[in-house]
Amino acid sequence: MHAGKPAYSATLQSSVDAAAFSGIDAGAKIRSAINALGKTGGTVDARDLTGMQTISSTITIPDKVTVLLGQVSFRASVTPVFKLGSNSRLIGDGALGAPSEATLIQLSGSAGGGAIVASGPGIVIDSIHIIGDSISNRSIGFDLQGLVNGMIAHDRVDHFAEGIRVGWPNNRWKCDCYNLFVDDQVVGAAIGVDFDESTNKNTWIGGNVQPFGTGGVGFRLAGGANVLFSPDVENFRRGIALDFIGAGNVAYNLYAEAGGAVIQFESHTTHNFVWGVNAVSIATVEQYLTPDMISNIVFANDLGPGGSILWPYSWGARTIYLGQGSEPDYYSLSATPGNAAGGVNLDYTPNSQAQKVYGLTGHAPLHVGGLTADSLRLSGMMVSTGLRWPLPEPVVNGGSFYCPNCDPPMNPAADCTSSGTRTGSWVHGLNGRWMCVP
């Protein structure tokens, strides 16, 4: 038995040493050790299988069984290499060190598919480094379908078509839910992390995703209510860091470097939210494909002139639909990316003839509060703490504000001027003219 290292869990039924079993390769020894545990479960300690080893047949880890791997380099010619059942655990000895100081699984001659497959509640995969042999044969590093309350932590997945896939495609009524991903790394995958349609309420913390290649995707978010804390996406030339497809997904404190579009909202996406983006050497912050999105919001730094300076903040482009009737009869209120000089531009776009005639109407008024920027542009008129001469063009009929450096008003009201005493006046927009009034 491997000395000096405690088992991963303190409540194990029994433990066996895989190195003590016979078999044609390391995989066969681990399978024999698992069979020796019986139906009650327990731990297979394979940490004495070190150096270069071979796995030629799938190792199935049954329910309630833990397999501990040590400093080893497995050469695997089969997929899946490991298949985990409910409440099972696959625990390695490090994923990011040198191969001789970590647990490495390297595929050779596989035919695609999932390399490590897991389905069921309570599954743990920790400190494993796995390398695929193709990014174009529909291969998946960690294929996690039916995963609930699991934990995937401190792993590295390298050179697969999809690095980590969670959930079932085209089946949003299943639940791959409440799983925790901590400090995982995916490199060299066409899609780094894929939260498919059945995912809900999963949490990703830290980690690093580098799709490499042209057109790679960092995170594909097709499910709902998944949360990313401090994701790091790099090297996605002409690709996408966060690709929003589902609803209610949230990303906080995203770091993006050396890529194409940082954020993309696709057709019919709703109520996704991004708070905080630091971006370096990218093509664009946000990309929108269709106008049928609802309430996707980004609070992020925007690129300044030359693409190398970050402004203190900007809202970023978004569309907020104010529901009155059914789609497409929503009111559209959009804010386009501003900069330090231009402020934030708000545009109201009426969709029906009634809206064009009567404007924005309804039981509740439009309220804009808590603005702390230097200025706000609304329908062509700037309102700020110091709106001064010259007055904004074009004239906004019905607009009203105070101009501190306009000439005093005349009675009756007359066109505003600013060439005499400039003691200030109230300014109203009337029939295409700015009028200074008493």
Side-chain angles (χ1 to χ4, degrees):
M1 178 65 69
H2 196 286
K5 291 191 176 181
Y8 194 80
S9 173
T11 60
L12 301 174
Q13 298 94 323
S14 60
S15 179
V16 295
D17 184 358
F21 289 80
S22 60
I24 60 173
D25 57 22
K29 294 179 180 181
I30 294 172
R31 287 194 302 275
S32 295
I34 290 173
N35 292 335
L37 290 175
K39 296 182 179 180
T40 59
T43 296
V44 171
D45 192 336
R47 289 176 291 183
D48 281 336
L49 297 174
T50 59
M52 299 295 298
Q53 300 287 345
T54 301
I55 298 176
S56 56
S57 297
T58 298
I59 299 173
T60 298
I61 305 178
D63 298 355
K64 301 180 181 179
V65 169
T66 294
V67 174
L68 305 179
L69 302 177
Q71 297 178 9
V72 62
S73 181
F74 290 111
R75 181 63 62 103
S77 58
V78 63
T79 54
V81 183
F82 287 94
K83 185 176 181 180
L84 285 76
S86 299
N87 297 300
S88 64
R89 297 171 174 179
L90 179 63
I91 312 299
D93 199 21
L96 303 180
S100 61
E101 301 173 354
T103 301
L104 175 64
I105 303 171
Q106 185 161 3
L107 297 186
S108 176
S110 69
I116 295 180
V117 174
S119 179
I123 293 173
V124 175
I125 304 173
D126 196 329
S127 302
I128 302 291
H129 183 182
I130 186 163
I131 301 177
D133 54 6
S134 174
I135 63 171
S136 59
N137 63 353
R138 303 178 67 180
S139 60
I140 305 169
F142 290 178
D143 191 0
L144 314 172
Q145 293 185 324
L147 192 69
V148 181
N149 287 316
M151 185 173 74
I152 312 299
H154 314 113
D155 302 296
R156 175 178 168 124
V157 182
D158 192 341
H159 202 68
F160 286 88
E162 292 188 70
I164 300 175
R165 183 179 75 174
V166 191
W168 303 81
N170 305 315
N171 196 333
R172 66 184 60 190
W173 305 117
K174 289 184 179 290
C175 184
D176 290 77
C177 307
Y178 319 118
N179 299 294
L180 177 63
F181 299 80
V182 181
D183 288 336
D184 295 299
Q185 183 178 45
V186 179
V187 297
I191 298 177
V193 180
D194 186 355
F195 283 106
D196 230 320
E197 290 188 22
S198 63
T199 60
N200 188 70
K201 298 293 287 186
N202 296 286
T203 302
W204 177 282
I205 300 176
N208 173 262
V209 177
Q210 301 187 53
F212 296 145
T214 299
V217 175
F219 289 83
R220 179 179 180 270
L221 300 166
N226 300 296
V227 181
L228 312 179
F229 290 98
S230 294
D232 177 0
V233 184
E234 304 178 31
N235 297 306
F236 54 103
R237 300 288 182 186
R238 294 199 292 276
I240 306 164
L242 303 183
D243 189 11
F244 288 94
I245 302 172
N249 299 290
V250 180
Y252 295 99
N253 192 33
L254 166 68
Y255 178 80
E257 179 178 347
V262 176
I263 300 163
Q264 175 169 286
F265 295 115
E266 299 199 27
S267 178
H268 298 290
T269 54
T270 64
H271 303 98
N272 297 289
F273 179 63
V274 179
W275 180 280
V277 176
N278 290 304
V280 179
S281 300
I282 60 166
T284 181
V285 174
E286 297 151 317
Q287 179 174 331
Y288 299 81
L289 297 185
T290 60
D292 58 0
M293 302 164 296
I294 301 175
S295 297
N296 296 302
I297 301 178
V298 177
F299 287 83
N301 288 335
D302 204 354
L303 291 179
S308 60
I309 300 174
L310 292 175
W311 296 116
Y313 79 93
S314 72
W315 280 6
R318 75 194 60 82
T319 300
I320 302 173
Y321 291 92
L322 308 176
Q324 184 176 20
S326 59
E327 189 179 359
D329 293 327
Y330 291 110
Y331 296 120
S332 174
L333 175 67
S334 64
T336 59
N339 56 44
V344 176
N345 298 316
L346 298 178
D347 296 305
Y348 163 62
T349 304
N351 291 321
S352 67
Q353 183 61 33
Q355 294 168 23
K356 292 176 182 178
V357 174
Y358 298 108
L360 185 62
T361 61
H363 295 290
L366 174 65
H367 173 71
V368 179
L371 297 175
T372 59
D374 290 337
S375 61
L376 169 68
R377 291 188 182 275
L378 180 61
S379 301
M381 182 180 72
M382 176 178 284
V383 180
S384 75
T385 56
L387 196 154
R388 307 174 67 84
W389 187 274
L391 303 179
E393 293 292 341
V395 174
V396 178
N397 290 330
S400 179
F401 58 91
Y402 187 77
C403 173
N405 67 333
C406 287
D407 290 335
M410 300 179 63
N411 194 1
D415 291 337
C416 294
T417 59
S418 181
S419 59
T421 59
R422 301 185 179 182
T423 56
S425 175
W426 279 100
V427 178
H428 294 331
L430 180 65
N431 295 327
R433 300 162 59 190
W434 287 122
M435 308 294 289
C436 283
V437 297

